[in-house]
């Protein structure tokens, strides 16, 4: 999977950052009856950054991410499932080894309303970043993401998303930043071919 996306500014030295990512993963799924499933995944992603002018961003953010993920699911009813995601990710930063770390997170949650008028999913849990450099501050705290949708009639859907996630920063001694966000989007189809949408959102980085 090869992607190129434009990221938000991550340092005072740049205004637009290009992210290049190469991703490979594999896993297996075991379904224990119609209620329960177990999924295991191994993945590796190489990320490189280019701001077009300086080497600052690349030196601070270029990294290799190697992750192991265990997902459990239990269907409580026909439309509702309980879920649990347990993740261990190692971050290797060749040109800045003081920024290397291991992240461990656990995210219990639930899915509901699959295919119905009102549905979505919610995952809220805890994440811990253990920095390999003892002089760098670790991070531990709550994380979570949610997506809810409501179909009003046959052609209109409202979708609400929100979350609190942790990402890598590039400023000096600040290794991480907290991204808190919320988004609302409305989509309306006038027929089976043509539709319109509008939306907005709020967010804070710290």
């Amino acid at each position: 999977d090869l992607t190129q996306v434009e990221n938000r500014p991550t340092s005072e030295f740049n205004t637009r950052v290009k992210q290049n990512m190469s991703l490979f993963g594999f896993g297996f799924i075991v379904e224990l009856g119609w209620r329960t499933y177990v999924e295991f995944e191994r993945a590796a992603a190489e990320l490189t950054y280019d701001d077009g002018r300086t080497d600052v961003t690349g030196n601070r953010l270029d990294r290799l991410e190697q992750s192991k993920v265990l997902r459990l699911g239990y269907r409580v009813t026909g439309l509702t499932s309980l879920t649990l995601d347990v993740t261990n990710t190692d971050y290797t930063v060749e040109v800045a080894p003081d920024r290397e770390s291991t992240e461990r997170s656990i995210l219990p949650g639930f899915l509901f309303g699959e295919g119905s008028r009102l549905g979505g999913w919610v995952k809220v849990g805890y994440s811990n970043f253990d920095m390999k450099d003892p002089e760098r501050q670790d991070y531990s705290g709550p994380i979570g993401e949610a997506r809810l949708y409501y179909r009003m009639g046959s052609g209109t859907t409202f979708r609400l998303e929100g979350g609190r996630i942790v990402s890598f920063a590039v400023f000096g001694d600040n290794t991480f930043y907290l991204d808190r966000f919320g988004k609302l989007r409305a989509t309306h189809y006038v027929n089976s071919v043509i539709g319109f949408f509008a939306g907005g959102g709020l967010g804070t980085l710290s």
Side-chain angles (χ1 to χ4, degrees):
D1 182 18
L2 301 176
T3 60
Q4 290 187 341
V5 296
E6 298 291 332
N7 273 11
R8 64 175 60 87
T10 51
S11 83
E12 63 270 38
F13 302 105
N14 67 79
T15 57
R16 182 63 65 182
V17 181
K18 177 186 291 185
Q19 179 196 79
N20 301 303
M21 180 175 67
S22 300
L23 174 66
F24 174 77
F26 65 92
F28 62 85
I29 302 173
V30 179
E31 296 190 3
L32 306 174
W34 70 275
R35 287 186 181 271
T36 307
Y37 72 86
V38 179
E39 180 178 338
F40 179 75
E41 176 185 318
R42 288 290 304 267
E46 184 177 16
L47 295 94
T48 60
Y49 294 78
D50 179 17
D51 60 20
R53 292 187 300 277
T54 72
D55 293 330
V56 173
T57 302
N59 286 341
R60 308 302 292 174
L61 290 178
D62 289 358
R63 63 188 182 274
L64 175 66
E65 301 180 357
Q66 296 174 292
S67 62
K68 298 182 286 289
V69 184
L70 176 66
R71 298 186 181 94
L72 306 176
Y74 178 77
R75 188 176 296 276
V76 181
T77 67
L79 298 178
T80 304
S81 299
L82 300 178
T83 63
L84 178 66
D85 296 355
V86 181
T87 304
N88 186 98
T89 304
D90 293 315
Y91 299 92
T92 302
V93 187
E94 183 176 351
V95 296
D98 60 312
R99 297 172 66 82
E100 294 183 349
S101 63
T102 298
E103 177 192 11
R104 300 176 181 90
S105 65
I106 180 168
L107 274 173
F110 62 93
L111 305 165
F112 69 96
E114 295 178 79
S116 64
R117 183 181 294 272
L118 175 65
W121 52 264
V122 178
K123 296 181 180 181
V124 178
Y126 188 83
S127 177
N128 177 78
F129 280 82
D130 181 16
M131 300 299 297
K132 295 183 180 180
D133 185 346
E135 296 185 2
R136 286 216 173 243
Q137 184 175 357
D138 298 333
Y139 171 82
S140 59
I143 58 173
E145 291 189 79
R147 176 182 292 179
L148 306 176
Y149 66 83
Y150 176 69
R151 295 189 177 96
M152 189 173 64
S154 60
T156 303
T157 301
F158 293 93
R159 189 175 71 190
L160 177 65
E161 299 180 37
R164 172 190 168 106
I165 60 176
V166 183
S167 298
F168 282 91
V170 72
F171 297 102
D173 293 331
N174 297 328
T175 306
F176 311 107
Y177 64 75
L178 286 175
D179 186 357
R180 306 173 184 89
F181 63 91
K183 305 175 184 177
L184 177 63
R185 171 173 169 150
T187 305
H188 177 73
Y189 279 89
V190 296
N191 55 42
S192 61
V193 178
I194 299 175
F196 302 92
F197 64 87
L202 295 172
T204 60
L205 290 175
S206 60

